[in-house]
Amino acid sequence: MKKCALLSVSDRTGLSDIAAALNTAGYTLLATSGTGKALDEAKIPWTSVESYTGLAELLDGRVKTLHPKIHGGILARRDQPHHLTQMEEAQIGPIDVVIVNLYPFLKYVQSEKASKPEEMTELVDVGGPTMIRAAAKNQTPTLVTAAMVVALAIHRASGPRGGEVNETVSSEPLFH
């Protein structure tokens, strides 16, 4: 079974490096639309979350990754046969790596957007923390990081998937 990485980042610093490394390692890259545009610019193949789930973004982009095919792929316990059966029945593939960072909410608190509560409300990230927490809950088969610099360090230290490094960063997502 081909490995899968989910990429959904607002700060795209280092994205092309880690995405290229994952692609070279044989991962299928799932990405949200903004992240996908950056992958296009870097000429790195990717699959949109929309095409994977079969559901377009909803509610002006508020609902992108909140879907059973995403969270089932992250949360499934691969040591549980009934989870694997349910995944197969629902056509859910496992997601092995989750690289997510959150909207830069604090940056905008100090900007002119802060004077517009309706704009600030749109910067409250729901999908990002949900994916981070889901992957942290299932950290044995799913490597998760909310920092691109951590993802690059993981790759450089042990390739795109390393048990020893995974244990080192496994508590980082619990603080989001």
Side-chain angles (χ1 to χ4, degrees):
M1 182 180 298
K2 193 166 181 176
K3 294 178 184 175
C4 181
L6 174 60
L7 310 171
S8 180
V9 294
S10 57
D11 178 354
R12 297 182 178 96
T13 306
L15 174 64
S16 60
D17 291 336
I18 192 64
L22 289 165
N23 183 54
T24 299
Y27 282 76
T28 295
L29 304 181
L30 291 179
T32 50
S33 58
T35 301
K37 288 176 188 170
L39 295 175
D40 280 340
E41 290 172 11
K43 296 181 175 34
I44 298 169
W46 62 286
T47 301
S48 73
V49 166
E50 288 182 359
S51 70
Y52 176 68
T53 63
L55 187 66
E57 291 182 8
L58 298 171
L59 308 176
D60 300 320
R62 286 179 163 206
V63 178
K64 299 174 191 169
T65 57
L66 299 171
H67 192 282
K69 286 186 100 170
I70 299 297
H71 291 281
I74 296 170
L75 285 166
R77 292 191 50 198
R78 298 175 202 171
D79 62 339
Q80 300 293 318
H82 66 287
H83 281 212
L84 299 176
T85 300
Q86 289 175 17
M87 287 176 68
E88 187 175 331
E89 289 170 353
Q91 299 179 329
I92 296 172
I95 295 175
D96 304 287
V97 175
V98 175
I99 299 174
V100 176
N101 56 44
L102 307 179
Y103 300 147
F105 189 80
L106 292 178
K107 171 182 155 185
Y108 291 114
V109 166
Q110 298 170 344
S111 75
E112 64 183 61
K113 284 189 177 189
S115 66
K116 301 174 185 166
E118 64 281 357
E119 287 187 35
M120 291 302 293
T121 299
E122 293 308 314
L123 294 171
V124 174
D125 197 328
V126 176
T130 304
M131 289 184 290
I132 292 168
R133 294 261 179 182
K137 182 173 183 163
N138 208 28
Q139 62 186 303
T140 301
T142 305
L143 178 62
V144 58
T145 183
M148 196 66 67
V149 67
V150 174
L152 288 165
I154 291 165
H155 172 69
R156 290 181 181 135
S158 65
R161 183 94 171 113
E164 184 177 325
V165 178
N166 188 12
E167 292 170 16
T168 303
V169 298
S170 64
S171 64
E172 178 241 345
L174 301 177
F175 295 101
H176 289 280

